[in-house]
């Protein structure tokens, strides 16, 4: 029997709760998270199925690697797993419904994290979208890329990227609105 496995899962910026639930479910099934590699490959090692809480924090890359940041979590019983793309992953034994298994002490802190993600990740994506993707998408349909195989391929690629960006923005917009409503209560 294999003692490790790799799974691909894609989560958008604001789906951290779904990602936490996914990692918790894998742990209950006997697979503890062991690593992550972009663009969404999770490594797991075989373990005895147990209740663990996984939490994700978004912060500055420099802060993630500082000993004080990690020590703060360690002092509260959290095991640091890894940092990827500004997101730090922690786990702690016990059910996620337990109030002691939260890294944020209040909803305002959760909303602040969402706003940081919006400013640092979604805003640059919007600029790329407006400055690069939309003009190339429009050019592809006005005939500026040519009608040869390469031009058609480039047009299809631009259309796929355009659709992907629209999907990410729409999903992120509705998710952050739902999360802010949930945390504001």
């Amino acid at each position: 029997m294999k003692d490790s496995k790799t799974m691909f899962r894609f989560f958008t910026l604001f789906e951290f709760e779904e990602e936490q639930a996914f990692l918790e479910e894998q742990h209950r099934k006997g697979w503890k998270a062991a690593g992550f590699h972009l663009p969404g490959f999770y490594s797991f090692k075989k373990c005895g199925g147990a209740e663990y809480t996984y939490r994700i924090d978004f912060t500055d890359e420099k802060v993630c690697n500082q000993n004080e940041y990690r020590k703060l979590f360690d002092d509260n019983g959290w095991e640091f797993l890894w940092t990827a793309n500004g997101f730090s992953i922690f786990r702690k034994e016990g059910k996620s419904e337990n109030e002691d298994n939260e890294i944020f002490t209040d909803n305002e802190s959760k909303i602040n994290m969402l706003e940081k993600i919006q400013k640092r990740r979604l805003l640059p994506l919007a600029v790329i979208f407006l400055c690069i993707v939309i003009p190339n998408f429009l050019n592809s349909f006005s005939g500026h890329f040519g009608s040869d195989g390469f031009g058609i391929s480039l047009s299809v690629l631009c259309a796929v990227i355009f659709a992907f960006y629209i999907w990410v923005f729409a999903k992120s917009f509705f998710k952050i609105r739902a999360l802010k409503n949930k945390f504001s209560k």
Side-chain angles (χ1 to χ4, degrees):
M1 180 170 248
K2 293 176 68 175
D3 61 345
S4 65
K5 72 176 181 176
T6 301
M7 293 178 72
F8 176 78
R9 289 292 301 253
F10 179 77
F11 294 98
T12 59
L13 297 171
F14 299 102
E15 293 179 310
F16 62 91
E17 289 181 323
E18 290 85 346
E19 189 171 2
Q20 291 170 169
F22 165 72
L23 295 170
E24 290 170 2
E25 178 186 356
Q26 292 303 309
H27 207 118
R28 275 190 303 279
K29 290 180 177 179
W31 295 99
K32 68 179 179 178
F36 175 82
H37 306 284
L38 289 173
F41 292 95
Y42 291 86
S43 301
F44 296 94
K45 291 192 188 261
K46 192 79 171 145
C47 69
E51 287 288 340
Y52 268 79
T53 298
Y54 284 77
R55 289 294 178 255
I56 298 173
D57 187 28
F58 179 78
T59 190
D60 186 292
E61 288 284 340
K62 294 173 189 169
V63 172
C64 294
N65 296 316
Q66 289 181 355
N67 288 333
E68 300 87 34
Y69 173 76
R70 291 185 185 181
K71 179 126 176 66
L72 175 69
F73 284 93
D74 187 51
D75 288 347
N76 288 292
W78 290 97
E79 175 188 1
F80 172 79
L81 299 178
W82 66 79
T83 295
N85 202 24
F87 291 90
S88 295
I89 312 295
F90 299 90
R91 81 173 151 221
K92 186 178 191 180
E93 192 169 4
K95 290 188 177 212
S96 61
E97 293 84 24
N98 185 344
E99 281 189 28
D100 293 336
N101 285 350
E102 288 298 329
I103 60 173
F104 297 105
T105 56
D106 58 23
N107 288 336
E108 187 175 325
S109 299
K110 292 177 187 178
I111 292 172
N112 287 338
M113 182 183 80
L114 295 173
E115 290 171 347
K116 281 194 291 187
I117 295 171
Q118 255 184 325
K119 289 175 188 168
R120 293 188 193 159
R121 292 295 197 269
L122 204 53
L123 190 58
L125 279 178
V127 170
I128 291 169
F129 182 71
L130 293 172
C131 295
I132 297 171
V133 176
I134 288 179
N136 285 317
F137 178 71
L138 296 175
N139 279 337
S140 70
F141 290 105
S142 64
H144 287 90
F145 285 144
S147 60
D148 60 350
F150 176 74
I152 293 170
S153 298
L154 200 52
S155 295
V156 169
L157 177 64
C158 284
V160 168
I161 292 171
F162 182 80
F164 177 73
Y165 267 80
I166 294 296
W167 176 75
V168 167
F169 289 137
K171 192 167 187 170
S172 297
F173 173 78
F174 289 115
K175 184 67 179 179
I176 196 164
R177 188 170 66 178
L179 288 169
K180 281 186 175 182
N181 287 339
K182 175 183 170 183
F183 296 149
S184 295
K185 293 178 182 178

